[in-house]
Structure formats: structure tokens, C-alpha cells
Amino acid sequence: MALLPGDRVEMLKLLCDQTAVRERDDPVRRLRITEARAMSVRVERAGPVSTVVLSRPEARNAVDRKTADALVSAFTEFEESDAAVAVLWGEGGTFCAGADLKRLDNHVGEEGEGPMGPTRMRLSKPVIAAVAGHAVAGGLELALWCDLRVAERDAVFGVFCRRWGVPLIDGGTVRLPRLIGLSRAMDLILTGRPVEAGEALAMGLANRVVPTGTARQAAEELAATLAAFPQTCLRGDRLSALEQDGLPEREAMVNELRHGMISLEDGLAGAARFASGEGRHGRFS
């Protein structure tokens, strides 16, 4: 039975009270993260690409508190490493079914991580979601947190939590309108309807659609392509694109220039290589 609005508010307040006092350096919390990393999240590295594998197939990769902490740990590790691009992939045929509603122990509060884990992190390097099966509710929000989404042909996106009165509190009502426009976002948010891969591609929710069973491979190949570009420039342009939202045009362009100046020396060297004959006719190598 769905919770009444007042009950949901009290539940969220209770969860907030239970978790707000836990500090990041709490040894019990560190043990929980270590255990979760061993059980539900692992990182596999191939050259400059780190793949973060969400592995709770018995729960359709639903995220509980331990798994959320483990995802934060994995992406913190990626941010601090020399890997250039990360891929987020759900093992077992489902990207992520959202928060684990059987446990409901996720952190809920204005401070700290998001309920699904890394959704409040602003990384300096790109992350690609490799979407197989369902990316719904909080799983949709995880996919929206990523920079790009590679979806298998039979993938399904949706705000499925609409049916149960569970709110979007991992950036879904913020990132979805910014990504696909307010009108389309309202359709998904209010109806909770499923969106298949073809429609997701047409509306800009997915960036690539690939054959079933190949999302991880395709995402890792795309990640390797991004990793081969000059990284200072790529990361600066990415951050400028993220930071421009909400800024007046003049401020956004000044911010773009500041990022660009950091990589301009590399850019001049690249322009010189092009002038000498490299990369003609659209070749990237």
C-alpha cells in the first residue's frame, strides 16, 4: 500500500535524522563501504578507462545504503586516479531499478552524498552510462548524472517510482529538464511511463543505441575514444558546458575563456600539427 504524503515526509525526516550524524571518517562506515565494494560494486580498469560495475543482479541492481556508499567510493577513486574516463554499467541485464525499497536505508539529507550515492558529485572527468535493461526511478537519476548514455536496443527509461509516491531526490527533476527540455521532462515525470531506447535517442535522453548485450563494450569503446583526445582541453570544455547553466551569457562566456586559457598552449600546438598536414579531411588519427 502506498504511503500517505504525511507518512512519507515523516519517513524521510526519520531517515535524515538517522544518517546526518554519521561522519565520512566513521570507521564503521568505512567497514560498510569495504564490505559493499566486495559484494555489490567493483572497478575494472582497461588502460585509461575505468568501468564501475554495479552488481546486485538479485535485486535488479537496486541501490541500498551500502551500495550507494560503495559507488561514491568507486567514483572518488576514479577521480583521484590517472584514468581519463569512467563507464557505469549494471551487471545481469539491468542498469539499475532505483533505490532498494525493501531496505529504505539510503542517506536522505541536504548534506552529504545523494540517496543513490554519487549523484551530487561534480567530477572533473566524464562518465558514460552503459544502459542495459531498465534504468528507472533512481536508476534513471544515476544515468542522468552521467555525461553520456549508451543504451541497448531494448533498454527502458522511466520515472517508475511515480506509482509508489517515491519522489525524485537524486537530481531527476533538475537534470532531466536540462537534458531534454521541460515539456518532455514533464511528460516523463508526471506520467511515469516507460521510454524505450528509440524514443530516448530521439529526445536526447540516450546518445547512442546499440544492439542488445553490447552496451558495456560500446560505452568502453566510446570512453577510449574520449580518452585519446587532449585531456586538459576536453575537461575544460566539459566543465564550461556544465557550469554555464543558469549563468548570464556574458558570465558564461568569461568562464568559458578562463577554462580555455588553461589549455590554449596545447591547442596552439595542435593547430600547428594540423597546419603541417595532420588530421585532414576529418580524420581523428
Side-chain angles (χ1 to χ4, degrees), residues 228-233 260 262-280 283-285:
F229 292 133
Q231 289 300 294
T232 302
C233 179
I262 297 172
S263 61
L264 193 55
E265 185 175 342
D266 292 340
L268 292 174
R273 293 200 305 275
F274 176 79
S276 69
E278 290 186 34
R280 296 296 173 88
R283 291 194 303 272
F284 278 73
S285 60

Side-chain angles (χ1 to χ4, degrees), residues 61-137:
N61 292 326
V63 173
D64 59 4
R65 177 64 184 270
K66 288 183 178 180
T67 305
D69 287 345
L71 286 170
V72 170
S73 174
F75 280 107
T76 299
E77 188 177 286
F78 160 67
E79 177 72 1
E80 295 172 353
S81 75
D82 62 353
V85 185
V87 170
L88 175 59
W89 176 68
E91 191 168 46
T94 298
F95 178 74
C96 176
D100 190 339
L101 298 184
K102 293 181 179 179
R103 298 194 179 184
L104 276 179
D105 61 348
N106 302 59
H107 168 76
V108 178
E110 293 185 7
E111 303 298 327
E113 294 89 12
M116 294 293 292
T119 51
R120 295 177 184 173
M121 299 175 72
R122 170 66 64 86
L123 303 183
S124 66
K125 301 179 282 189
V127 180
I128 302 172
V131 180
H134 284 72
V136 296

Side-chain angles (χ1 to χ4, degrees), residues 240-258:
S240 176
L242 290 172
E243 292 168 355
Q244 62 78 32
D245 192 74
L247 291 178
E249 182 175 304
R250 177 61 181 167
E251 289 183 30
M253 294 187 71
V254 169
N255 187 56
E256 177 189 63
L257 180 62
R258 288 171 179 161

Side-chain angles (χ1 to χ4, degrees), residues 221-244:
E221 290 173 355
L222 177 57
T225 298
L226 300 186
F229 292 133
Q231 289 300 294
T232 302
C233 179
L234 181 144
R235 294 174 191 177
D237 284 350
R238 171 185 173 272
L239 282 175
S240 176
L242 290 172
E243 292 168 355
Q244 62 78 32

